[in-house]
C-alpha cells in the first residue's frame, strides 16, 4: 500500500511541459488539447469561408480563380467538420464525461493520447495538398466521382488524412463508451446519467458504425484513381451512384454525430438557468436514441434527383419526415423546461436559447427539403447551404460555445467576462442570421452552390450575406479574447458550484477542477443528480 501511495505522489508531481502535454494521459489535459486544436482549425476553416464570401461579394471574378474557389469550398467543409466541430465535442467529452459520471479518468488513457495526436498530423497532411502540383482536391467535401477522380495526386493525401481522422474518431468513441459503461460511480445508473453523457454514449456508437463506411468509400476512390479498379467508373462496369449511396450512409449519421452532443450541452444548460429539472428526462434519452437509429434510414434524401425509383423516393421522404418527430420532442422539452422557470440569461443560457430557435429554423428548412417534388427545385442551390449552416453553425457551433462559457469557470477556476460574453453573443447571433438567412432567398431564386460567379440578379443578397460573414468571423475574435482573459487575467474566482441552479457531480469538485479527481468513487446522495426523482 505504501509503495502505491509513493508512486502516486510521484505521478502527481508537476510534470514538465513535454511530459505533461506530449505524453498526456490525463483526461483534462487531453480535453484541453482537443479544444485548442479545434479552435485553431475553426479559424483556418473560417478564413477559407472568408475567401469564399469575399469572392461572392459581387458578381464577376474578383479575387481568386474558379479552381482555387472550389479548393476553398472543399477544404473549408473538411476542416470545419473533421477539424473543428468533431474534435471540439470530443474535447468537451474528455473534460466532462469523467467528471459527470464520477470516474477518475478515461478508461483508456494512453489510447486517448494517441487518438488526439493523430489529428495534427492528419490536418498537416490535408493542408499540405494546397501546395502540391495540381492543387488541393476541389470536388466538394462529398468527393463525388467522376469529378474527384479528375484531380491530381493530392487526392491520395486527402484520402490518407481522412483515414487518420477516422481512426482518431473510432479510438475516441471506444474510449468514451468504455468509460461510461465501466467507470460510473456506484449509484450512477444509466438513467441517472446527465443528458450530455447520454448523447455522447449514443454518438460514440454512431461513430463506430459509420466511420468504417467512409473509410471504405474513400479507399474505393483511391483504387479507382491509382490502381485501375472500376467501382465508380461506368466505362469499366462500375456505377458513380454506388459512391453516393455509400458516402451518404456515412454522411447522414455524421450530421447527427455533429449535433447530438450539442443537444446534450443544451440539455445541461437550460435546466441550470431555468432552476428546475429538465422536463421529460427519459423521453429525451429515448428521443436521442430514436434520432440515432433513424439516421441510418434516411441517407438517400441527399439523392432525390439522381433517378431513384418512385418507391425509394417515397420511403426516404417519409423516413426523413419521421425523424423530425423525436427532434420535435427535444425542442418541446427544452421550451417546457424554461416554461415558468426562474430564468436568468447569462451567456451560456443566451447561446442555448439562440440554439433552440435557430436550430428549429434549420429543422423547418430540413422538412421542406424532405419533400421530393420540392427538393427537385431546392437541390444543389443555396437553400441547402442555408439549411445545413443553420443546423451546424447556429446549432453545433453555438452548442460548443454555450458549453465553453458554461464550463470554463470549472476548467480555469476563473469567471469569464460576462460583459464581453454578451457582446460576443449578440454580435454572433445577429451576424449569423445576416450571413445565412439571405441564402434561403438566393436558393429559392435558383442560385446554384459551389460557384465563384453568378447572375447579377443575385447580387444584393450575396452582398448582404458576405457582410454577415465577415461580421460573424470578426466576432469570434471576441470569443478568443474572452477565453485568453479567463485563463490568464481574470481576477474573479469561481466557486465549486459555479451556477446557482447547477446540479451534478462535476459541481461537487473545486474550481479549477484538480488534476486528479474522484480517486475514491464519490458517494451519490439523494438529490445530488439533476435527474434524481427526489429533485422533482
Amino acid at each position: 500500500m505504501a509503495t502505491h501511495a509513493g508512486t502516486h505522489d510521484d505521478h502527481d508531481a508537476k510534470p514538465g511541459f513535454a511530459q505533461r502535454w506530449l505524453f498526456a494521459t490525463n483526461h483534462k489535459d487531453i480535453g484541453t488539447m482537443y479544444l485548442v486544436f479545434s479552435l485553431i482549425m475553426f479559424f483556418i476553416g473560417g478564413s477559407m469561408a472568408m475567401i469564399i464570401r469575399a469572392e461572392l461579394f459581387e458578381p464577376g471574378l474578383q479575387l481568386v480563380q474558379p479552381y482555387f474557389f472550389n479548393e476553398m469550398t472543399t477544404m473549408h467543409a473538411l476542416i470545419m467538420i473533421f477539424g473543428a466541430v468533431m474534435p471540439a465535442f470530443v474535447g468537451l467529452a474528455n473534460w466532462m464525461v469523467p467528471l459527470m459520471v464520477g470516474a477518475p479518468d478515461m478508461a483508456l488513457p494512453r489510447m486517448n493520447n494517441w487518438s488526439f495526436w493523430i489529428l495534427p498530423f492528419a490536418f498537416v497532411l490535408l493542408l499540405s495538398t494546397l501546395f502540391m502540383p495540381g492543387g488541393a482536391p476541389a470536388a466538394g467535401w462529398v468527393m463525388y466521382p467522376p469529378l474527384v477522380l479528375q484531380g491530381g495526386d493530392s487526392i491520395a493525401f486527402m484520402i490518407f488524412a481522412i483515414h487518420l481522422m477516422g481512426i482518431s474518431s473510432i479510438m475516441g468513441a471506444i474510449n468514451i463508451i468504455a468509460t461510461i459503461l465501466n467507470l460510473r460511480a456506484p449509484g450512477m445508473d444509466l438513467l441517472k446519467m446527465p443528458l450530455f453523457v447520454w448523447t455522447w454514449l449514443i454518438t460514440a456508437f454512431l461513430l463506430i458504425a459509420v466511420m468504417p463506411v467512409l473509410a471504405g468509400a474513400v479507399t474505393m476512390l483511391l483504387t479507382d484513381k491509382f490502381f485501375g479498379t472500376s467501382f465508380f467508373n461506368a466505362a469499366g462496369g462500375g456505377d458513380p451512384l454506388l459512391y453516393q449511396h455509400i458516402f451518404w450512409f456515412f454522411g447522414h449519421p455524421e450530421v447527427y454525430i455533429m449535433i447530438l452532443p450539442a443537444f446534450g450541452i443544451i440539455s445541461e444548460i437550460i435546466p441550470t438557468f431555468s432552476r428546475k429539472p429538465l422536463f421529460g428526462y427519459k423521453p429525451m434519452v429515448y428521443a436521442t436514441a430514436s434520432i440515432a437509429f433513424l439516421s441510418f434510414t434516411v441517407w438517400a434524401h441527399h439523392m432525390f434527383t439522381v433517378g431513384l425509383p418512385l418507391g425509394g423516393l417515397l420511403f426516404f421522404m417519409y423516413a426523413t419526415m419521421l425523424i423530425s418527430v423525436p427532434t420535435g420532442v427535444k425542442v418541446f422539452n427544452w421550451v417546457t423546461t424554461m416554461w415558468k422557470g426562474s430564468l436568468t440569461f447569462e451567456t451560456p443560457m443566451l447561446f442555448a436559447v439562440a440554439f433552440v430557435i435557430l436550430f428549429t429554423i434549420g429543422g423547418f428548412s430540413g422538412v421542406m427539403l424532405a419533400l421530393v417534388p420540392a427538393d427537385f427545385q431546392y437541390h444543389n442551390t443555396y437553400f441547402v447551404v442555408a439549411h445545413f449552416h443553420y443546423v451546424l453553425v447556429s446549432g453545433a457551433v453555438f452548442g460548443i460555445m454555450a458549453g465553453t462559457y458554461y464550463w470554463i469557470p470549472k476548467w480555469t477556476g476563473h469567471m469569464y467576462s460576462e460583459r464581453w460574453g454578451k457582446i460576443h453573443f449578440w454580435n454572433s447571433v445577429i451576424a449569423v442570421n445576416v450571413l445565412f438567412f439571405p441564402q434561403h432567398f438566393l436558393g429559392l431564386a435558383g442560385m446554384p452552390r459551389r460557384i465563384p460567379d453568378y447572375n447579377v440578379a443575385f447580387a444584393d443578397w450575396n452582398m448582404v450575406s458576405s457582410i454577415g460573414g465577415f461580421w460573424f468571423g470578426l466576432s469570434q475574435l471576441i470569443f478568443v479574447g474572452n477565453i485568453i482573459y479567463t485563463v490568464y487575467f481574470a481576477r474573479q474566482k469561481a466557486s465549486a458550484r459555479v451556477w446557482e441552479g447547477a446540479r451534478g457531480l462535476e459541481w461537487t469538485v473545486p474550481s479549477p477542477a484538480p488534476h486528479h479527481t474522484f480517486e475514491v468513487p464519490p458517494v451519490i446522495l439523494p438529490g445530488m443528480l439533476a435527474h434524481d426523482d427526489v429533485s422533482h
Side-chain angles (χ1 to χ4, degrees):
M1 189 66 195
T3 22
H4 174 261
T7 50
H8 191 85
D9 290 343
D10 189 43
H11 173 57
D12 204 29
K14 283 287 176 217
F17 183 85
Q19 186 67 32
R20 177 167 179 188
W21 298 105
L22 292 180
F23 305 108
T25 50
N26 183 288
H27 72 97
K28 301 178 182 76
D29 290 346
I30 294 172
T32 301
M33 292 196 296
Y34 266 112
L35 290 166
V36 170
F37 174 80
S38 78
L39 190 64
I40 293 165
M41 286 294 136
F42 180 62
F43 277 93
I44 293 173
S47 62
M48 293 172 176
M50 296 300 92
I51 293 169
I52 294 166
R53 285 314 326 169
E55 179 56 58
L56 294 174
F57 188 76
E58 55 187 28
L61 291 174
Q62 274 78 239
L63 303 171
V64 296
Q65 293 302 310
Y67 189 84
F68 184 75
F69 182 89
N70 290 344
E71 289 178 50
M72 288 294 98
T73 55
T74 304
M75 298 292 275
H76 163 71
L78 287 170
I79 286 167
M80 285 303 203
I81 290 168
F82 295 111
V85 173
M86 287 169 70
F89 282 133
V90 177
L92 289 167
N94 257 295
W95 244 107
M96 299 314 301
V97 166
L99 287 179
M100 288 175 145
V101 300
D105 205 313
M106 296 295 276
L108 307 159
R110 289 176 193 275
M111 189 169 89
N112 205 11
N113 174 290
W114 195 27
S115 65
F116 170 75
W117 278 110
I118 288 173
L119 282 180
F121 292 97
F123 282 91
V124 167
L125 202 61
L126 182 64
L127 288 164
S128 70
T129 59
L130 286 163
F131 308 101
M132 290 178 186
W141 82 280
V142 292
M143 303 168 281
Y144 280 176
L147 181 60
V148 72
L149 299 175
Q150 294 163 17
D153 292 345
S154 63
I155 291 168
F157 292 86
M158 171 185 72
I159 288 171
F160 188 44
I162 287 169
H163 276 300
L164 289 174
M165 298 166 205
I167 292 166
S168 168
S169 295
I170 291 169
M171 287 163 62
I174 290 169
N175 209 347
I176 287 165
I177 291 170
T179 305
I180 294 171
L181 296 185
N182 296 323
L183 296 185
R184 299 194 309 282
M188 170 75 73
D189 303 334
L190 282 175
L191 282 172
K192 285 185 179 172
M193 295 195 311
L195 242 283
F196 179 67
V197 180
W198 257 115
T199 53
W200 243 117
L201 180 64
I202 291 164
T203 302
F205 279 109
L206 278 181
L207 276 166
I208 291 171
V210 302
M211 292 316 282
V213 178
L214 176 66
V218 295
T219 305
M220 290 151 92
L221 278 181
L222 187 77
T223 59
D224 271 14
K225 172 76 176 166
F226 297 101
F227 298 102
T229 56
S230 293
F231 289 111
F232 311 128
N233 180 359
D239 183 359
L241 270 191
L242 172 66
Y243 175 84
Q244 292 195 28
H245 280 290
I246 301 170
F247 178 85
W248 285 115
F249 192 77
F250 147 79
H252 203 79
E254 168 66 18
V255 175
Y256 293 98
I257 286 165
M258 289 191 283
I259 200 69
L260 289 182
F263 287 172
I265 293 167
I266 301 309
S267 303
E268 299 300 324
I269 291 173
I270 287 178
T272 294
F273 294 98
S274 304
R275 288 166 182 76
K276 51 187 277 211
L278 183 72
F279 178 86
Y281 168 79
K282 283 183 184 174
M284 287 294 254
V285 174
Y286 301 145
T288 309
S290 306
I291 289 169
F293 175 75
L294 290 171
S295 72
F296 289 102
T297 67
V298 297
W299 78 88
H301 71 204
H302 300 268
M303 301 168 56
F304 282 157
T305 61
V306 303
L308 296 176
L310 182 62
L313 291 173
L314 288 171
F315 171 81
F316 286 106
M317 175 168 80
Y318 295 138
T320 306
M321 295 172 79
L322 184 63
I323 212 167
S324 64
V325 175
T327 314
V329 168
K330 286 186 158 308
V331 173
F332 175 81
N333 285 13
W334 289 324
V335 173
T336 314
T337 303
M338 290 186 273
W339 180 251
K340 294 194 172 171
S342 177
L343 273 68
T344 53
F345 294 99
E346 287 86 349
T347 311
M349 184 62 162
L350 288 173
F351 273 103
V353 172
F355 173 98
V356 174
I357 296 166
L358 298 178
F359 175 79
T360 304
I361 292 173
F364 280 140
S365 59
V367 174
M368 293 171 73
L369 288 160
L371 301 166
V372 173
D375 187 75
F376 271 76
Q377 187 68 28
Y378 305 140
H379 188 74
N380 260 349
T381 69
Y382 260 78
F383 189 86
V384 179
V385 179
H387 157 70
F388 71 71
H389 280 90
Y390 262 87
V391 172
L392 289 180
V393 180
S394 49
V397 173
F398 273 23
I400 292 162
M401 290 172 177
T404 303
Y405 281 114
Y406 184 57
W407 284 313
I408 203 169
K410 178 57 65 186
W411 302 338
T412 63
H414 296 116
M415 289 304 293
Y416 61 87
S417 163
E418 189 65 62
R419 177 164 170 254
W420 281 104
K422 285 182 171 158
I423 291 169
H424 170 229
F425 167 76
W426 285 111
N427 275 284
S428 295
V429 81
I430 296 167
V432 87
N433 284 291
V434 174
L435 167 54
F436 294 120
F437 207 81
Q439 294 179 5
H440 291 103
F441 308 143
L442 290 165
L444 292 173
M447 178 172 165
R449 57 197 279 205
R450 298 197 189 114
I451 52 160
D453 189 11
Y454 52 85
N455 189 303
V456 71
F458 303 133
D460 293 351
W461 285 124
N462 265 301
M463 187 175 283
V464 171
S465 186
S466 289
I467 291 166
F470 287 107
W471 183 3
F472 183 75
L474 289 169
S475 302
Q476 304 324 307
L477 296 173
I478 304 171
F479 183 48
V480 176
N482 208 344
I483 292 171
I484 292 169
Y485 165 80
T486 312
V487 174
Y488 294 109
F489 304 107
R491 296 228 173 89
Q492 188 186 344
K493 295 272 190 259
S495 61
R497 187 181 300 278
V498 178
W499 311 107
E500 184 196 326
R503 309 262 295 296
L505 288 181
E506 74 268 38
W507 307 109
T508 62
V509 301
S511 304
H515 202 59
H516 294 281
T517 40
F518 300 132
E519 283 162 16
V520 177
V523 177
I524 297 173
L525 302 169
M528 185 185 284
L529 301 178
H531 315 302
D532 259 342
D533 293 333
V534 179
S535 63
H536 287 276

